[in-house]
Amino acid sequence: MAGKRQKEKRNGEEAMEKGKQDDSFMMKLATLIVDKRKGFYLIFIVLIIFSIISMNRVKVNNDLTTYLPDTTETRQGIDLMDEQFITYGTARVMVCNVTFEEAQRLADVIEKMEGVSMLEFDDSEEHFHDMEAMYSITFDGEAEEPAVQEYLNAVLDALSEYDVYYDSEIGQEERDASDLDNDMIVILVLAGVVIVGVLLFTSTTYAEIPVYLMTFITAAILNKGSNYWFGTISFVTNSIAVVLQLALAVDYAIILAHRFMEEHEDKDAREAVIVALSKAIPEISSSSLTTVSGMVAMMFMQFRIGYDMGIVLAKAIVLSLVSVFFLMPGLLLTFSKAIDSTHHRSFVPKITAVGKFCVATRYLVPPLMVVAVIAAFFLSGKADYVYDVNTLESKTLSDNKFSVSMVNQEFGRVNQLAVLVPNGDYEREAQALKVLASMPEVDSCMGLANIEAMDGYMLTDALSPREFSELIDMDVEVAELLYSAYAVDHSEYGALVNGISSYKVPLMDMFFFIYDQKESGNITLEDDLEETLSDAHSQMSIARNQLLGEEYTRFVLELNVPAEGPNTYAALEKIRDAMAHYYDRDSIYLVGNSTSNKDLSDSFGTDNVIITVLTALFVMIILLFTFQSAGLPVLLVLTIQGSIWMNFSLPYLLDEQVYFLGYLVVSAIQMGATIDYAIVITSRYMDLKTYMPIKKAIVETLNQAFPTIVTSGSMLVAAGFIISNVSTNAVVAAIGLALGRGTLTSIALVLLVLPQTLLVGDIIIEKTAFTLKHDLAKPLPSSGRIRMNGHIKGYVNGVIEGDFSGVIEGEMGAVIRPRDKAEPIRKMIESGENADE
């Protein structure tokens, strides 16, 4: 009778507890999502259609210089050049296996082709050697104009019978975009194969894999399509966002699926999905915070590509959460029967041996880790960081990249520099150009004041009427009349008073004045003179448009120093100092790949500090509230930060170059994403150690956490190495390599170093805990026989958790917790032989 009353009381308590759960906000939200799943299916279908349509409207920016801060000299100089100058499309075309005579014949043919305004070719080493000819071609139009692309294609078609390679910015953006699109198809296919393979290896039912894939693909499509909101994104972001999203967000889907499996053991499918979702929403949301914090940290970089990548990847995580919370529950219920009928054993092995190794080396590994981290910190700082995209080489080359590499290999890279100075004084420009031409770092320099116009006269040389008349075979009286008209037009009446014969006008200015007067019908010229004038006007217009702006004039230099490095940056300062003798230093702008690289190197140190400090700070704050301990976040962050330094010390040890952007991006991703692996191990350890010795707890922790870590980690590692080996874009490949290595390093440290750190630092964790819960839990004896009535969590030759009424006998390791904090724990232990109350 007493037993029956006790059972009824317990059933009543369980019903009340369930009623409280059913009334909670999360349960109501989960019930709504599951019961209205068809409505959510419809919403997602509409969003997918919209995203697919929007994908093609997203513009991809292939120019990293556009992300330089507005305060940098390069950015300001580029803006000035865009406003005041026309930059004509150019190409370097190399023809192999031809004699010089054949090469000269081809040069004559190309020069007469439509759209070709200038062609440079001679018998110098710069244009011909070893039966290889190099043509430097300037086209009549800017590089982005469709007509200029047609002109270049026509030249290449004319040379199609020869072995031809070329390097040109004309159509480069389209070629890069095409290469990246082709790369992404291969990358996504390979990544998809890896993801399916990993899920098959780590899942427990075959039917859950379609649920994962449908959730992943939906999230990826939504993120790619919603990039339309930003109008333009960088090629780096466009290339890696999808793969990283799949790899980073897989944890969320796995958490919900595993929750469903657990709840489905004693509940029907609908109720199991609802309860699993209500429990998973807070857990997944808190887990995503560390990843999002890494993306947010990137948004504070001075180099604004960090903002571009950070906001797109943060959006990717949010949309992954949306897909997991609102789409996946319905899919789990829809596929529940298939999931039930396709169970199989997990192929993930136990790693008890690793756990025992960690216990045995708990006093040895942490000191070694400290030494290794300190060494890695200094070695990573000594790595050869590079900032020039052209310095990098990807393992795979597209046809376009191969063509460019062949040109550079045979005739060298051109390191071009533009020097912008105030215009208006041709004599001063001539003096400045002479100084630049005399510098050993300068192979050639071009400005209006040193371009020959006719018979040894430069474009800006000032000529008298007689000199001008002799130059173009014009009557001197006619020339004087034209000079008088010019003086009146420019309000220079003193020339008329002092005598027009001694009045001098820059050759280029006089040519343009006469041409404008002819076009206006004010003057008529003889046919021969008009033809000479028209030819000269065409060539001079090209020079003026490229080199003379409303306020500035442009000198174009070719340097013989590398695109980056201390010697190059010293050469830039030397050039600036030389120009400062003729112009105000603040009015001088140097613009080119070398200045861009210098600006990037100057901002790298600041951006590195910003990402490191902000990411660590964000993560530590999140961990502080998660674990309620001041010491534990420090241990976890140091472990992951140590893995970052180790990752970037490898290039120094392997004598490899490190692309600076790869370091910055991967540092943020590695800290934000792989800290989750440390959290998984730490949270399980903190839970298990409450009812078993810490040595056993760490062994069991690794066995329980390994499937989650190996699933997510292997995907991120695979994604990184696939990107590295498949992408033909050197920047994207460099980021992929750093990501793959970094994730692998983090996994190694989390599995082989963090456990020992937790064991040795356990006393620090306990001492720095915010709250002590001795009154809320009591350990059961390690063995014996005990009668229980209450909530128990632990193991009895296995793991047990739940409300229990009865007798437990055998080996134990558990804690008992009251349902009500006011209920004394001793009342939950009723009686029993050898009971330790």
Side-chain angles (χ1 to χ4, degrees):
M1 191 71 177
K4 183 178 180 182
R5 284 197 300 269
Q6 186 179 26
K7 183 177 181 180
E8 290 174 351
K9 178 182 178 183
R10 186 166 63 251
N11 290 339
E13 290 174 348
E14 290 176 355
M16 289 176 64
E17 183 70 23
K18 183 178 179 181
K20 291 179 182 177
Q21 291 179 353
D22 291 342
D23 290 336
S24 70
F25 171 76
M26 286 301 172
M27 285 294 292
K28 290 180 179 178
L29 178 61
T31 303
L32 174 67
I33 292 171
V34 173
D35 289 345
K36 303 296 183 182
R37 59 189 177 279
K38 292 183 180 179
F40 283 108
Y41 286 168
L42 180 60
I43 292 172
F44 275 101
I45 290 172
V46 172
L47 291 175
I48 288 172
I49 294 172
F50 170 79
S51 297
I52 291 174
I53 295 173
S54 299
M55 281 182 193
N56 296 326
R57 303 174 69 182
V58 178
K59 296 180 181 178
V60 179
N61 186 355
N62 292 283
D63 185 5
L64 289 178
T65 62
T66 58
Y67 295 98
L68 288 168
D70 293 337
T71 55
T72 59
E73 179 183 22
T74 303
R75 182 69 263 152
Q76 293 173 357
I78 289 174
D79 291 341
L80 266 178
M81 290 197 299
D82 289 340
E83 293 171 5
Q84 301 195 20
F85 301 94
I86 294 177
T87 302
Y88 289 97
T90 61
R92 293 199 302 161
V93 179
M94 180 175 75
V95 179
C96 301
N97 302 315
V98 290
T99 63
F100 179 76
E101 290 72 19
E102 179 70 3
Q104 185 62 61
R105 185 187 68 79
L106 291 174
D108 294 337
V109 171
I110 295 171
E111 194 169 17
K112 296 176 182 177
M113 293 182 68
E114 181 185 3
V116 176
S117 59
M118 290 177 60
L119 182 140
E120 294 180 32
F121 177 75
D122 53 38
D123 59 356
S124 67
E125 285 284 319
E126 295 177 358
H127 290 284
F128 187 86
H129 63 73
D130 301 326
M131 297 190 71
E132 293 177 342
M134 169 62 68
Y135 304 112
S136 298
I137 305 172
T138 301
F139 294 96
D140 187 13
E142 297 186 75
E144 61 271 14
E145 295 178 14
V148 177
Q149 177 67 66
E150 294 178 6
Y151 298 152
L152 174 60
N153 291 339
V155 170
L156 297 176
D157 289 341
L159 300 173
S160 59
E161 296 180 1
Y162 297 86
D163 190 9
V164 179
Y165 304 93
Y166 73 100
D167 175 15
S168 176
E169 77 280 7
I170 301 170
Q172 187 63 48
E173 193 167 316
E174 290 76 11
R175 292 193 295 273
D176 287 342
S178 176
D179 290 343
L180 285 172
D181 289 342
N182 294 334
D183 293 347
M184 285 310 303
I185 293 173
V186 178
I187 289 171
L188 286 175
V189 169
L190 293 177
V193 171
V194 170
I195 289 173
V196 172
V198 171
L199 292 175
L200 283 171
F201 180 74
T202 58
S203 65
T204 55
T205 69
Y206 294 116
E208 68 183 281
I209 295 176
V211 175
Y212 288 141
L213 294 179
M214 291 171 72
T215 305
F216 295 161
I217 292 171
T218 298
I221 292 174
L222 294 183
N223 189 53
K224 199 167 179 63
S226 59
N227 288 333
Y228 172 69
W229 300 343
F230 307 125
T232 303
I233 63 173
S234 73
F235 72 94
V236 181
T237 306
N238 187 57
S239 301
I240 67 175
V242 174
V243 179
L244 285 184
Q245 181 182 11
L246 296 182
L248 292 174
V250 67
D251 287 347
Y252 315 144
I254 291 174
I255 290 172
L256 179 57
H258 286 182
R259 280 284 187 186
F260 168 71
M261 300 298 183
E262 293 172 5
E263 299 296 337
H264 195 32
E265 291 178 2
D266 58 358
K267 300 179 180 70
D268 62 41
R270 175 184 172 276
E271 185 180 359
V273 174
I274 292 173
V275 175
L277 181 59
S278 68
K279 293 180 178 180
I281 288 176
E283 183 179 354
I284 293 172
S285 299
S286 60
S287 174
S288 67
L289 286 177
T290 55
T291 306
V292 172
S293 67
M295 307 303 108
V296 172
M298 280 199 293
M299 294 168 63
F300 288 90
M301 285 171 53
Q302 289 181 318
F303 188 32
R304 299 312 292 162
I305 197 170
Y307 179 87
D308 181 84
M309 294 190 67
I311 196 168
V312 172
L313 289 175
K315 176 168 62 70
I317 301 302
V318 172
L319 290 174
S320 296
L321 293 176
V322 169
S323 300
V324 170
F325 291 159
F326 295 97
L327 175 64
M328 189 174 174
L331 294 176
L332 285 172
L333 188 54
T334 302
F335 281 79
S336 59
K337 291 183 180 179
I339 290 174
D340 292 340
S341 60
T342 58
H343 276 280
H344 66 84
R345 70 179 183 87
S346 174
F347 301 105
V348 180
K350 295 285 187 180
I351 56 170
T352 303
V354 175
K356 291 181 178 179
F357 167 80
C358 293
V359 172
T361 59
R362 62 189 181 280
Y363 297 118
L364 177 63
V365 169
L368 293 177
M369 172 66 177
V370 172
V371 175
V373 168
I374 294 173
F377 170 75
F378 287 104
L379 292 178
S380 64
K382 291 184 176 181
D384 183 14
Y385 292 95
V386 297
Y387 307 90
D388 187 70
V389 175
N390 298 317
T391 304
L392 303 170
E393 288 188 5
S394 56
K395 294 181 180 178
T396 306
L397 292 177
S398 64
D399 292 341
N400 172 49
K401 293 289 193 300
F402 178 73
S403 179
V404 173
S405 69
M406 288 295 292
V407 172
N408 291 333
Q409 179 180 324
E410 296 301 325
F411 287 92
R413 278 195 183 90
V414 175
N415 185 10
Q416 200 169 75
L417 177 72
V419 180
L420 307 183
V421 295
N423 65 13
D425 190 334
Y426 291 147
E427 291 185 7
R428 185 162 53 175
E429 289 176 23
Q431 295 171 0
L433 285 167
K434 286 181 180 178
V435 171
L436 290 173
S438 66
M439 289 184 174
E441 297 87 357
V442 178
D443 275 343
S444 67
C445 64
M446 179 178 67
L448 290 174
N450 70 350
I451 295 179
E452 184 176 350
M454 301 172 69
D455 295 345
Y457 286 111
M458 303 300 163
L459 287 175
T460 59
D461 284 350
L463 276 67
S464 66
R466 180 170 294 279
E467 291 170 330
F468 185 78
S469 65
E470 291 174 353
L471 177 66
I472 64 171
D473 195 20
M474 173 187 285
D475 290 339
V476 66
E477 291 82 5
V478 175
E480 288 179 347
L481 286 174
L482 291 172
Y483 268 61
S484 297
Y486 181 93
V488 172
D489 187 68
H490 289 76
S491 301
E492 296 179 355
Y493 302 109
L496 300 177
V497 176
N498 297 326
I500 201 68
S501 60
S502 60
Y503 180 46
K504 291 192 174 185
V505 177
L507 175 61
M508 180 179 67
D509 294 351
M510 199 63 216
F511 260 110
F512 283 118
F513 175 75
I514 297 174
Y515 185 84
D516 291 341
Q517 294 300 312
K518 179 188 76 71
E519 291 295 302
S520 301
N522 296 329
I523 61 173
T524 303
L525 302 174
E526 295 179 1
D527 291 344
D528 291 344
L529 188 58
E530 184 171 342
E531 183 179 352
T532 300
L533 182 65
S534 296
D535 290 342
H537 177 268
S538 175
Q539 297 300 315
M540 290 182 185
S541 294
I542 293 173
R544 184 177 67 171
N545 292 339
Q546 291 191 93
L547 303 175
L548 184 63
E550 293 181 5
E551 299 170 348
Y552 279 81
T553 189
R554 176 164 62 173
F555 304 152
V556 180
L557 284 61
E558 288 190 5
L559 307 181
N560 54 30
V561 293
E564 61 182 320
N567 293 337
T568 301
Y569 303 149
L572 294 179
E573 286 306 307
K574 185 176 178 182
I575 291 171
R576 190 189 311 280
D577 291 341
M579 293 299 96
H581 286 92
Y582 301 96
Y583 303 94
D584 180 59
R585 180 177 287 271
D586 292 336
S587 65
I588 302 169
Y589 293 92
L590 307 185
V591 186
N593 286 339
S594 293
T595 63
S596 172
N597 298 333
K598 186 177 186 302
D599 288 335
L600 292 174
S601 67
D602 291 340
S603 67
F604 173 63
T606 304
D607 284 341
N608 186 22
V609 172
I610 288 173
I611 284 185
T612 301
V613 172
L614 287 183
T615 308
L617 183 63
F618 291 156
V619 169
M620 287 182 70
I621 291 173
I622 294 168
L623 296 179
L624 198 65
F625 286 99
T626 301
F627 292 108
Q628 298 287 298
S629 170
L632 190 54
V634 176
L635 294 178
L636 299 187
V637 169
L638 284 178
T639 300
I640 300 301
Q641 184 59 55
S643 71
I644 293 173
W645 288 330
M646 288 182 181
N647 180 26
F648 289 101
S649 65
L650 284 175
Y652 174 79
L653 297 174
L654 298 173
D655 195 25
E656 296 176 349
Q657 292 178 324
V658 181
Y659 188 55
F660 83 104
L661 188 58
Y663 181 91
L664 295 174
V665 171
V666 173
S667 293
I669 295 175
Q670 194 174 342
M671 174 64 78
T674 61
I675 193 72
D676 279 350
Y677 309 151
I679 292 174
V680 169
I681 286 183
T682 304
S683 59
R684 290 183 184 272
Y685 168 74
M686 296 294 288
D687 200 16
L688 290 172
K689 77 168 187 171
T690 59
Y691 53 82
M692 64 175 64
I694 61 174
K695 295 179 184 178
K696 289 185 178 180
I698 206 69
V699 174
E700 183 62 24
T701 291
L702 291 178
N703 281 327
Q704 292 184 20
F706 184 64
T708 301
I709 295 173
V710 75
T711 302
S712 175
S714 59
M715 289 183 186
L716 198 53
V717 170
F721 285 125
I722 288 173
I723 291 171
S724 170
N725 286 279
V726 172
S727 180
T728 58
N729 187 287
V731 174
V732 176
I735 293 175
L737 179 61
L739 179 64
R741 283 178 175 175
T743 306
L744 198 59
T745 307
S746 292
I747 293 173
L749 263 62
V750 163
L751 292 176
L752 300 175
V753 176
L754 180 60
Q756 295 93 320
T757 305
L758 292 174
L759 288 174
V760 174
D762 191 75
I763 187 172
I764 298 175
I765 298 171
E766 293 296 329
K767 292 292 185 182
T768 58
F770 294 162
T771 57
L772 300 177
K773 302 179 180 179
H774 297 306
D775 294 334
L776 301 181
K778 178 178 177 65
L780 286 177
S782 60
S783 62
R785 186 171 185 270
I786 189 170
R787 183 179 297 280
M788 265 290 303
N789 178 26
H791 186 85
I792 179 173
K793 182 175 182 180
Y795 70 89
V796 181
N797 288 327
V799 177
I800 183 172
E801 178 179 359
D803 295 330
F804 181 82
S805 178
V807 176
I808 299 175
E809 183 172 7
E811 182 183 355
M812 305 172 216
V815 293
I816 49 177
R817 301 177 186 274
R819 296 189 187 92
D820 187 344
K821 293 182 180 179
E823 179 184 5
I825 289 177
R826 62 179 180 274
K827 290 185 179 180
M828 298 175 61
I829 305 175
E830 296 176 348
S831 63
E833 298 179 23
N834 303 322
D836 180 6
E837 297 189 25

